[in-house]
Amino acid sequence: MQNEQDYDAPKEVFTKVVKAGKRTYFFDIKVTKGQDYYITVTESKKIILNGKEVFQKHKIFLYKEDFGKFSETFLEVMNKANELNTTDDPGSSYLSDVQFEDL
């Protein structure tokens, strides 16, 4: 029998796992009880803490109203990173004019 907390918890409907060296990334699509879809991106990295292996996790939540802007910007940044990685002197050809205070 499910308890009320389990019933109200978001349900995972799709997962994609990417193993990248010491890190693993989880891309999850979840649905709320109100039937709204959202995405979580989790970075998981195995570290040694006090002599024990533990997983350090960082997670972001991306809500449906932000999907378009996020994906457009993410692709732009990925394309720029790939472009910069092909130059001899990364960082010399491009400096961002965005200041932290602007965010």
Side-chain angles (χ1 to χ4, degrees):
M1 181 170 148
Q2 273 186 323
N3 65 33
E4 189 173 325
Q5 184 178 7
D6 289 340
Y7 177 75
D8 289 340
K11 295 187 178 37
E12 202 168 279
V13 295
F14 179 82
T15 297
K16 186 74 176 178
V17 178
V18 177
K19 293 184 184 248
K22 294 181 179 183
R23 292 177 174 82
T24 302
Y25 298 96
F26 299 88
F27 296 84
D28 301 310
I29 299 174
K30 297 182 179 188
V31 62
T32 66
K33 64 181 178 178
Q35 299 304 302
D36 286 327
Y37 291 96
Y38 66 98
I39 297 169
T40 61
V41 180
T42 307
E43 174 202 39
S44 179
K45 181 179 178 183
K46 190 186 303 185
I47 62 170
I48 305 298
L49 185 63
N50 297 327
K52 292 185 177 184
E53 286 185 349
V54 295
F55 289 93
Q56 183 179 50
K57 295 181 180 182
H58 298 96
K59 185 178 283 201
I60 63 167
F61 292 80
L62 182 61
Y63 298 98
K64 68 180 182 179
E65 60 269 17
D66 302 324
F67 287 178
K69 288 181 181 180
F70 184 90
S71 63
E72 183 180 304
T73 304
F74 185 77
L75 289 173
E76 180 182 344
V77 171
M78 290 296 294
N79 288 334
K80 184 53 123 176
N82 286 329
E83 177 186 320
L84 292 171
N85 277 327
T86 62
T87 65
D88 292 337
D89 186 11
S92 66
S93 62
Y94 179 78
L95 293 175
S96 174
D97 59 352
V98 175
Q99 300 297 317
F100 183 75
E101 293 80 22
D102 295 339
L103 305 174

